[in-house]
Amino acid sequence: MLSLHTFSHSSASYRVRIALALKGVEVTQHSVSLIANDHQSDAFRALNPEGRVPALVTEQGVLTQSLAILDWLEECYPTPSLYPQDPWQRALCRAFAHVIAGDIFPLQNLSVRRKLTNEFGADDARVAQWCADWIAKGFEALETETKNRGWSLDQDYLFAPEPTLADICLVAQMNNARRFGVDLSVFPLLVAADAKARVHPAFVSTAPDAKGN
Ligand SMILES: N[C@@H](CCC(=O)N[C@@H](CS)C(=O)NCC(=O)O)C(=O)O
Protein backbone atom coordinates (compact mmCIF):
# COMPACT_ATOMS: atom_id res chain seq x y z
CA MET A 1 0.00 0.00 0.00
CA LEU A 2 1.26 3.47 -0.86
CA SER A 3 1.63 6.06 1.84
CA LEU A 4 1.49 9.79 1.19
CA HIS A 5 3.10 12.39 3.40
CA THR A 6 0.93 15.39 2.79
CA PHE A 7 -0.34 18.66 4.24
CA SER A 8 -3.99 19.58 3.79
CA HIS A 9 -3.38 23.10 2.48
CA SER A 10 -0.30 22.30 0.41
CA SER A 11 -1.19 22.73 -3.25
CA ALA A 12 1.56 20.34 -4.39
CA SER A 13 0.13 17.70 -2.02
CA TYR A 14 -3.39 18.41 -3.28
CA ARG A 15 -2.21 17.66 -6.85
CA VAL A 16 -1.13 14.19 -5.78
CA ARG A 17 -4.26 13.54 -3.70
CA ILE A 18 -6.44 14.40 -6.71
CA ALA A 19 -4.47 12.12 -9.03
CA LEU A 20 -4.66 9.20 -6.60
CA ALA A 21 -8.41 9.73 -6.24
CA LEU A 22 -8.96 10.01 -10.00
CA LYS A 23 -7.15 6.73 -10.51
CA GLY A 24 -8.80 5.07 -7.51
CA VAL A 25 -5.44 4.16 -6.00
CA GLU A 26 -5.57 3.32 -2.30
CA VAL A 27 -3.21 5.25 -0.07
CA THR A 28 -2.68 5.92 3.60
CA GLN A 29 -2.07 9.56 4.45
CA HIS A 30 0.32 11.00 7.02
CA SER A 31 -0.08 14.63 7.87
CA VAL A 32 3.06 16.77 7.84
CA SER A 33 2.07 20.13 9.27
CA LEU A 34 3.84 23.02 7.59
CA ILE A 35 2.47 25.26 10.34
CA ALA A 36 4.12 23.16 13.07
CA ASN A 37 7.28 22.88 10.92
CA ASP A 38 6.99 19.08 10.78
CA HIS A 39 8.58 19.27 7.32
CA GLN A 40 11.83 20.49 8.89
CA SER A 41 12.08 17.64 11.39
CA ASP A 42 14.91 15.12 11.11
CA ALA A 43 12.35 12.33 10.77
CA PHE A 44 10.73 13.93 7.74
CA ARG A 45 14.02 15.02 6.18
CA ALA A 46 15.11 11.40 6.34
CA LEU A 47 12.24 10.74 3.94
CA ASN A 48 12.67 13.85 1.82
CA PRO A 49 15.98 15.67 2.31
CA GLU A 50 14.44 18.72 0.59
CA GLY A 51 12.01 19.08 3.49
CA ARG A 52 8.94 19.53 1.29
CA VAL A 53 5.61 17.81 0.86
CA PRO A 54 4.38 15.72 -0.83
CA ALA A 55 6.44 12.57 -0.44
CA LEU A 56 5.07 9.24 -1.59
CA VAL A 57 6.41 6.09 0.02
CA THR A 58 6.27 3.17 -2.41
CA GLU A 59 7.54 -0.40 -2.27
CA GLN A 60 10.57 0.79 -4.24
CA GLY A 61 11.36 3.82 -2.11
CA VAL A 62 10.35 7.42 -1.55
CA LEU A 63 9.27 9.58 -4.46
CA THR A 64 9.09 13.37 -4.21
CA GLN A 65 8.07 16.19 -6.57
CA SER A 66 4.35 16.18 -7.34
CA LEU A 67 4.69 16.10 -11.12
CA ALA A 68 7.17 13.22 -10.99
CA ILE A 69 4.75 11.38 -8.70
CA LEU A 70 1.92 11.99 -11.18
CA ASP A 71 4.07 10.64 -14.02
CA TRP A 72 4.90 7.54 -12.00
CA LEU A 73 1.24 7.00 -11.11
CA GLU A 74 0.36 7.33 -14.77
CA GLU A 75 2.85 4.66 -15.72
CA CYS A 76 1.83 2.25 -12.95
CA TYR A 77 -1.92 2.91 -13.09
CA PRO A 78 -2.58 4.03 -16.67
CA THR A 79 -6.38 4.16 -16.46
CA PRO A 80 -7.92 6.69 -16.37
CA SER A 81 -5.16 8.72 -17.94
CA LEU A 82 -4.11 12.08 -16.52
CA TYR A 83 -3.10 13.26 -20.00
CA PRO A 84 -4.79 13.82 -23.37
CA GLN A 85 -4.14 11.06 -25.91
CA ASP A 86 -2.74 13.18 -28.74
CA PRO A 87 1.02 13.81 -28.28
CA TRP A 88 0.76 17.50 -29.17
CA GLN A 89 -2.14 18.08 -26.81
CA ARG A 90 -0.24 16.12 -24.17
CA ALA A 91 2.74 18.42 -24.60
CA LEU A 92 0.52 21.51 -24.35
CA CYS A 93 -1.12 20.09 -21.26
CA ARG A 94 2.28 19.55 -19.63
CA ALA A 95 3.37 23.07 -20.58
CA PHE A 96 0.24 24.48 -18.92
CA ALA A 97 0.97 22.51 -15.74
CA HIS A 98 4.63 23.54 -15.72
CA VAL A 99 3.73 27.24 -15.81
CA ILE A 100 1.96 26.65 -12.51
CA ALA A 101 4.26 24.11 -10.87
CA GLY A 102 7.54 25.54 -12.12
CA ASP A 103 6.99 29.26 -12.62
CA ILE A 104 4.09 30.45 -10.45
CA PHE A 105 4.02 28.28 -7.36
CA PRO A 106 7.67 28.37 -6.18
CA LEU A 107 7.55 32.15 -5.74
CA GLN A 108 4.85 31.92 -3.09
CA ASN A 109 6.13 28.87 -1.25
CA LEU A 110 6.16 29.03 2.55
CA SER A 111 9.96 29.27 2.75
CA VAL A 112 9.97 32.16 0.25
CA ARG A 113 7.26 34.01 2.17
CA ARG A 114 9.09 33.47 5.45
CA LYS A 115 12.29 34.83 3.94
CA LEU A 116 10.49 37.92 2.63
CA THR A 117 9.17 38.55 6.14
CA ASN A 118 12.18 37.62 8.24
CA GLU A 119 15.07 38.83 6.08
CA PHE A 120 13.55 41.53 3.89
CA GLY A 121 11.14 43.05 6.42
CA ALA A 122 7.99 42.67 4.31
CA ASP A 123 4.73 42.82 6.26
CA ASP A 124 1.82 40.45 5.60
CA ALA A 125 0.21 42.81 3.09
CA ARG A 126 3.42 43.15 1.06
CA VAL A 127 3.97 39.40 1.09
CA ALA A 128 0.40 38.81 -0.11
CA GLN A 129 0.95 41.42 -2.83
CA TRP A 130 4.15 39.66 -3.94
CA CYS A 131 2.31 36.33 -4.20
CA ALA A 132 -0.71 37.84 -5.95
CA ASP A 133 1.48 39.65 -8.50
CA TRP A 134 3.36 36.50 -9.53
CA ILE A 135 0.18 34.44 -9.70
CA ALA A 136 -1.52 37.10 -11.84
CA LYS A 137 1.48 37.27 -14.18
CA GLY A 138 1.40 33.50 -14.74
CA PHE A 139 -2.39 33.41 -15.05
CA GLU A 140 -2.26 36.13 -17.73
CA ALA A 141 -0.15 33.80 -19.87
CA LEU A 142 -2.38 30.80 -19.18
CA GLU A 143 -5.58 32.74 -19.91
CA THR A 144 -4.13 33.91 -23.24
CA GLU A 145 -2.93 30.44 -24.14
CA THR A 146 -6.32 28.94 -23.25
CA LYS A 147 -8.12 31.57 -25.34
CA ASN A 148 -5.77 31.05 -28.28
CA ARG A 149 -6.50 27.32 -28.21
CA GLY A 150 -10.16 28.18 -28.65
CA TRP A 151 -11.20 26.51 -25.39
CA SER A 152 -14.66 27.26 -24.10
CA LEU A 153 -16.73 25.90 -21.24
CA ASP A 154 -19.08 23.91 -23.44
CA GLN A 155 -16.03 21.82 -24.30
CA ASP A 156 -14.60 19.26 -21.95
CA TYR A 157 -12.09 19.87 -19.21
CA LEU A 158 -9.07 21.94 -20.23
CA PHE A 159 -7.47 19.36 -22.52
CA ALA A 160 -9.64 16.23 -22.62
CA PRO A 161 -13.06 14.75 -21.79
CA GLU A 162 -11.76 13.85 -18.33
CA PRO A 163 -9.62 15.97 -15.98
CA THR A 164 -5.91 16.06 -16.79
CA LEU A 165 -2.72 17.29 -15.22
CA ALA A 166 -3.68 20.82 -16.29
CA ASP A 167 -6.98 20.80 -14.39
CA ILE A 168 -5.26 19.32 -11.35
CA CYS A 169 -2.62 22.04 -11.25
CA LEU A 170 -5.12 24.80 -12.00
CA VAL A 171 -7.57 23.95 -9.21
CA ALA A 172 -4.81 23.67 -6.61
CA GLN A 173 -3.31 26.98 -7.72
CA MET A 174 -6.70 28.74 -7.77
CA ASN A 175 -6.96 28.09 -4.04
CA ASN A 176 -3.73 30.03 -3.55
CA ALA A 177 -4.90 32.78 -5.91
CA ARG A 178 -8.03 33.29 -3.82
CA ARG A 179 -6.06 33.17 -0.60
CA PHE A 180 -3.74 35.96 -1.76
CA GLY A 181 -6.53 38.11 -3.18
CA VAL A 182 -5.82 37.88 -6.90
CA ASP A 183 -8.45 39.67 -9.00
CA LEU A 184 -9.81 36.67 -10.89
CA SER A 185 -12.42 38.63 -12.87
CA VAL A 186 -9.82 39.19 -15.60
CA PHE A 187 -9.31 35.43 -16.07
CA PRO A 188 -12.79 34.24 -17.12
CA LEU A 189 -11.60 31.09 -18.89
CA LEU A 190 -9.43 29.95 -16.00
CA VAL A 191 -12.25 30.65 -13.55
CA ALA A 192 -14.64 28.61 -15.72
CA ALA A 193 -12.19 25.71 -16.06
CA ASP A 194 -11.57 25.75 -12.30
CA ALA A 195 -15.31 25.82 -11.53
CA LYS A 196 -15.88 22.81 -13.77
CA ALA A 197 -13.07 20.67 -12.37
CA ARG A 198 -13.36 21.48 -8.67
CA VAL A 199 -16.82 19.87 -8.40
CA HIS A 200 -15.53 16.54 -9.74
CA PRO A 201 -15.72 14.00 -6.86
CA ALA A 202 -11.97 13.32 -6.95
CA PHE A 203 -11.28 17.02 -6.45
CA VAL A 204 -13.94 17.43 -3.77
CA SER A 205 -12.96 14.45 -1.61
CA THR A 206 -9.28 15.47 -1.56
CA ALA A 207 -9.73 19.24 -1.14
CA PRO A 208 -7.80 21.01 1.64
CA ASP A 209 -10.87 21.41 3.85
CA ALA A 210 -12.35 17.97 3.15
CA LYS A 211 -12.45 15.54 6.06
CA GLY A 212 -9.36 13.33 6.36
CA ASN A 213 -6.97 15.56 4.39
N1 LIG B 1 8.11 21.24 -6.72
C1 LIG B 1 7.63 20.58 -5.54
C2 LIG B 1 7.19 21.62 -4.54
C3 LIG B 1 6.94 21.02 -3.17
C4 LIG B 1 6.76 22.11 -2.15
O1 LIG B 1 7.50 23.10 -2.16
N2 LIG B 1 5.76 21.94 -1.30
C5 LIG B 1 5.48 22.97 -0.33
C6 LIG B 1 4.05 22.86 0.13
S1 LIG B 1 2.92 23.12 -1.22
C7 LIG B 1 6.41 22.84 0.84
O2 LIG B 1 6.64 21.75 1.31
N3 LIG B 1 6.95 23.97 1.29
C8 LIG B 1 7.80 23.99 2.43
C9 LIG B 1 8.66 25.20 2.44
O3 LIG B 1 8.54 26.08 1.59
O4 LIG B 1 9.47 25.26 3.36
C10 LIG B 1 6.45 19.65 -5.92
O5 LIG B 1 5.80 19.90 -6.91
O6 LIG B 1 6.24 18.66 -5.20
Side-chain angles (χ1 to χ4, degrees):
M1 163 95 86
L2 299 172
S3 98
L4 181 66
H5 293 254
T6 170
F7 180 57
S8 53
H9 286 73
S10 144
S11 58
S13 300
Y14 186 25
R15 292 174 201 146
V16 175
R17 295 197 303 264
I18 298 168
L20 287 162
L22 282 169
K23 288 181 175 293
V25 177
E26 253 189 89
V27 67
T28 54
Q29 294 199 45
H30 302 277
S31 177
V32 180
S33 170
L34 298 186
I35 296 164
N37 288 328
D38 292 350
H39 59 300
Q40 292 170 347
S41 69
D42 290 345
F44 184 68
R45 278 183 180 276
L47 273 184
N48 180 8
E50 222 193 344
R52 297 180 191 279
V53 286
L56 185 71
V57 182
T58 78
E59 277 179 4
Q60 289 160 289
V62 181
L63 191 55
T64 63
Q65 291 292 333
S66 59
L67 298 198
I69 294 171
L70 265 54
D71 276 345
W72 182 80
L73 288 172
E74 179 74 9
E75 282 164 23
C76 296
Y77 309 91
T79 315
S81 178
L82 302 175
Y83 301 93
Q85 285 180 352
D86 172 72
W88 178 245
Q89 291 301 316
R90 204 150 58 217
L92 292 180
C93 175
R94 282 200 171 97
F96 185 104
H98 281 261
V99 170
I100 292 173
D103 297 344
I104 298 177
F105 174 74
L107 288 161
Q108 82 223 217
N109 213 339
L110 177 63
S111 45
V112 171
R113 285 184 279 123
R114 282 183 176 164
K115 199 173 183 77
L116 288 171
T117 303
N118 298 336
E119 294 183 33
F120 293 89
D123 61 19
D124 288 352
R126 296 283 287 162
V127 172
Q129 186 65 53
W130 163 277
C131 296
D133 285 356
W134 289 115
I135 296 169
K137 195 171 164 57
F139 274 11
E140 274 166 35
L142 291 177
E143 179 78 12
T144 302
E145 182 273 337
T146 303
K147 187 174 173 197
N148 290 348
R149 281 194 307 115
W151 185 84
S152 66
L153 190 55
D154 50 359
Q155 286 178 245
D156 300 316
Y157 293 93
L158 274 170
F159 284 89
E162 294 300 324
T164 64
L165 178 68
D167 303 284
I168 292 173
C169 287
L170 177 65
V171 168
Q173 185 57 48
M174 273 288 186
N175 290 347
N176 294 339
R178 293 191 171 98
R179 173 179 174 193
F180 293 118
V182 175
D183 173 12
L184 293 176
S185 66
V186 292
F187 308 117
L189 296 179
L190 299 184
V191 168
D194 169 65
K196 183 176 173 88
R198 71 170 50 245
V199 295
H200 186 292
F203 289 65
V204 172
S205 63
T206 58
D209 291 323
K211 201 164 170 258
N213 292 314

